[in-house]
Amino acid sequence: MNESIELNIAKVQQRIRAAEKKYDRLPNSVALMAVSKTRPATAIRQAVAAGISDIGENYLQEALDKQSQLSDLNICWHFIGPIQSNKTRPIAEHFDWVHSVDRLKIAQRLNDQRPAHLPPLNVCLQLNVSNEDSKSGVALEELAALVASVAPLNNLTLKGVMAIPKPEDGTQGSRQAFKTVSRTVTKLQSTIGKLDTLSMGMSGDMEAAIAEGATIVRVGTDIFGKRQ
Ligand SMILES: *Cc1c(COP(=O)(O)O)cnc(C)c1O
């Protein structure tokens, strides 16, 4: 067992519990996803041995390779990377959650391709909070329309949103962006109902995200170390 992964997870869990307390969140209301892109299957195995059950991956082929090496484990797999429309089928077949849906075409394909023997695919819509043309994610003004068209898709369960603020904006900038996400989703809840997932916060900004209502944080570096 790699002690540093185990120790890192314990430290991250402590930070989450401390932030819940500091920002008046309910105890254990924030879940931890370990983001393992570029890491070998053995590192994921160590994370699972240390209590992690949610794993996030960005690159499809890399994720599928690791999944086949870890099929003996009970892992909840999250796809969090950009999605090309010709890659939706394996995503629909091999993941439990997708956090990076940012257009209807992708949602429709995932819905059509979700195998009948599996439960509906849990989906978050990726929100562009930095208003950069290059960044993926649906614009704030277009979220309500996308929610309205994704919600009726039977083989998907629309859970909430994912947002990734620009790190250059610093902690204050991230916190402001997370607040905007929270408010936007709260407004939508009054019309659309059950959007209970705010997927926001990474190694560098998870406290700010928890302060603004994150329900799941996606942590890579602070668990597995710096990526090459
Ligand atoms: C890589 C990645 C993370 C983890 O980022 P760290 O800064 O390493 O914690 C979280 N979310 C997404 C979408 C990522 O691509």
Side-chain angles (χ1 to χ4, degrees):
M1 171 101 212
N2 182 322
E3 279 195 31
S4 77
I5 289 179
E6 187 179 20
L7 198 65
N8 289 347
I9 288 169
K11 284 186 195 156
V12 169
Q13 293 283 20
Q14 273 169 17
R15 280 169 65 192
I16 294 171
R17 303 286 88 85
E20 286 172 345
K21 211 165 169 195
K22 177 167 181 190
Y23 298 109
D24 282 325
R25 302 287 311 276
L26 289 173
N28 301 309
S29 58
V30 180
L32 172 60
M33 175 203 306
V35 175
S36 48
K37 58 174 175 247
T38 79
R39 300 295 167 182
T42 49
I44 298 176
R45 202 172 275 285
Q46 288 162 3
V48 170
I52 292 288
S53 53
D54 291 271
I55 296 290
E57 287 280 348
N58 293 61
Y59 309 110
L60 179 62
Q61 192 52 54
E62 182 192 327
L64 297 177
D65 291 346
K66 287 183 241 180
Q67 286 178 348
S68 67
Q69 296 174 61
L70 299 168
S71 56
D72 58 309
L73 299 180
N74 192 8
I75 291 175
C76 181
W77 290 97
H78 301 252
F79 192 82
I80 62 173
I83 306 173
Q84 292 166 270
S85 62
N86 63 346
K87 300 283 175 59
T88 50
R89 184 178 297 280
I91 295 175
E93 290 174 348
H94 293 280
F95 287 81
D96 303 292
W97 283 72
V98 179
H99 293 236
S100 43
V101 173
D102 63 357
R103 54 198 194 277
L104 181 57
K105 181 185 178 187
I106 297 295
Q108 277 167 336
R109 290 178 64 92
L110 291 170
N111 182 66
D112 294 345
Q113 294 167 342
R114 182 68 169 171
H117 69 276
L118 294 177
L121 181 62
N122 296 301
V123 161
C124 290
L125 302 177
Q126 184 174 351
L127 196 50
N128 182 344
V129 283
S130 297
N131 281 325
E132 277 176 272
D133 294 341
S134 59
K135 270 255 165 165
S136 37
V138 61
L140 270 180
E141 315 78 65
E142 287 159 19
L143 179 67
L146 186 58
V147 165
S149 34
V150 172
L153 299 174
N154 277 325
N155 299 324
L156 307 182
T157 300
L158 181 58
K159 301 292 282 186
V161 303
M162 171 170 85
I164 311 172
K166 276 192 302 213
E168 308 89 85
D169 291 349
T171 309
Q172 285 309 315
S174 294
R175 180 137 180 207
Q176 199 52 49
F178 291 137
K179 190 192 289 287
T180 303
V181 174
S182 237
R183 290 203 175 141
T184 307
V185 172
T186 304
K187 260 187 259 161
L188 282 178
Q189 269 162 344
S190 57
T191 52
I192 306 212
K194 211 171 162 279
L195 297 175
D196 58 13
T197 302
L198 290 180
S199 169
M200 52 191 205
M202 321 201 299
S203 297
D205 58 11
M206 66 183 198
E207 281 84 1
I210 293 169
E212 299 301 339
T215 62
I216 183 163
V217 292
R218 309 176 314 274
V219 179
T221 307
D222 284 357
I223 289 177
F224 297 110
K226 230 172 146 56
R227 290 179 291 275
Q228 260 68 59

